[in-house]
Amino acid sequence: MLASPLHSWALTPREAIRLQAELASRVAATDRLGTIRTLAGVDVAYGRRGGPAQAVVVVLSFPDLVLLEQVRVTRPATFPYVPGLLSFREAPAVLEAFERLRIRPDLILVDGQGVAHPRRFGIASHLGLWLDLPAIGVAKSRLCGTFAEPGPERGDWTPLRDGEDVIGVVLRSRRNTRPLFISIGHRVSLATAVGVVLASGRGTRLPEPTRMADRLSKQAH
DNA sequence: GCGACAG
DNA sequence: ATCTTGTCGC
C-alpha cells in the first residue's frame, strides 16, 4: 500500500504536541467511505524486557470476517511512551507494515483512541490521516473524558464527554464485561463506528480484526 | 502541589 | 505494553 509522508517522526515531545494540534484540524468526522468489503486490524506488542515493537496489520473480509492478509513488522521503538503521544512511538512500525500490505482496506480498526484524546488526535486519527483511510479508535481503557457506566447488555452504551464535546462512546461489546472506548479516527461518523465495531465482533470483547492483530503480535516467530 | 494517564 | 498463578465466572 502506498502513502506519502505527512511529516518527520524525528520530533521532540514538545514538537509532537504542537504537530498534533495542527493535524487535528484535518480530521474528517463524517462518513466518507463506501461499501465496506475489507476491514484492517492494527496492534503493537513489545518483546519481554522492553524489546522491539512488533506491529501487526491484518485484513479481514466484511461482514464474514475471513482473514485475507497479514503483515508483521519488528523494529525498535525510538520514542518513549508518553500518555497522549502514543502514535509517535507506535505509528512508524505500523506504517511500515502498511507499506508491505497488498490490499488497501476500506476501513481500519486501531487499538487505541481516535479523537478521544486531549488534542483530538490519537493514534487512530494519525494513522487514518496519514493513510487517507477511514479509521476507528477501539481502546480498552480511557485516556480522557467523563462517562456514566453503560448498561450490562451487549450494545449498551453511554457518551464519552470532554466538557461540552462528545468525543466517543463507552460501549458494552459483550455482556457483563468491561466496556470499550470507541472514537472516530478519520472519515467515519461516531454512529457508523459503533455499528462497525458491533458488526465485527463475535461474542468476544474485542472486534475480530483488533483481536486477531493482538493475538498475532504476541506470538513468537 | 496532587492525581490521572491509550499502549 | 510487560512482569506473573491460580481462580472465579460464563
Side-chain angles (χ1 to χ4, degrees):
Chain A
M1 239 196 79
L2 74 132
S4 47
L6 267 187
H7 58 76
S8 162
W9 290 106
L11 303 172
T12 63
R14 184 176 180 173
E15 294 171 327
I17 288 173
R18 187 176 61 174
L19 179 61
Q20 289 181 321
E22 295 173 7
L23 297 179
S25 66
R26 297 168 59 178
V27 167
T30 56
D31 288 314
R32 217 179 89 199
L33 74 172
T35 303
I36 303 170
R37 297 193 177 81
T38 55
L39 267 186
V42 173
D43 191 33
V44 178
Y46 298 87
R48 333 226 173 239
R49 200 194 64 179
Q54 311 191 71
V56 165
V57 175
V58 296
V59 178
L60 316 198
S61 57
F62 183 84
D64 41 306
L65 309 177
V66 172
L67 180 64
L68 301 177
E69 188 180 0
Q70 66 179 73
V71 173
R72 178 177 181 148
V73 163
T74 300
R75 55 169 283 179
T78 58
F79 203 89
Y81 170 69
V82 178
L85 298 179
L86 179 66
S87 62
F88 293 89
R89 175 174 175 77
E90 300 193 338
V94 173
L95 291 172
E96 194 175 313
F98 268 99
E99 285 175 21
R100 298 190 197 174
L101 203 63
R102 297 177 58 186
I103 301 173
R104 181 178 176 80
D106 296 319
L107 179 64
I108 65 184
L109 297 187
V110 183
D111 191 325
Q113 315 288 349
V115 300
H117 177 280
R119 292 167 293 283
R120 306 292 183 267
F121 200 70
I123 188 170
S125 296
H126 208 153
L127 291 173
L129 192 66
W130 187 289
L131 299 167
D132 192 21
L133 283 177
I136 297 170
V138 181
K140 297 182 293 300
S141 63
R142 181 198 72 105
L143 172 60
C144 66
T146 58
F147 65 96
E149 189 72 17
E153 298 300 325
R154 169 177 162 86
D156 286 345
W157 62 274
T158 55
L160 177 62
R161 292 195 166 85
D162 190 1
E164 308 299 280
D165 305 338
V166 171
I167 59 177
V169 155
V170 184
L171 177 68
R172 193 79 66 187
S173 55
R174 176 181 180 162
R175 194 174 195 248
N176 294 343
T177 300
R178 284 178 301 145
L180 294 177
F181 295 76
I182 310 302
S183 58
I184 299 315
H186 185 48
R187 292 177 55 177
V188 289
S189 65
L190 188 51
T192 296
V194 170
V196 169
V197 169
L198 288 174
S200 57
R202 289 181 156 170
T204 53
R205 180 162 91 116
L206 294 179
E208 208 59 19
T210 296
R211 193 174 97 86
M212 198 167 286
D214 179 84
R215 181 169 57 75
L216 293 175
S217 68
K218 286 167 181 159
Q219 234 160 69
H221 272 164

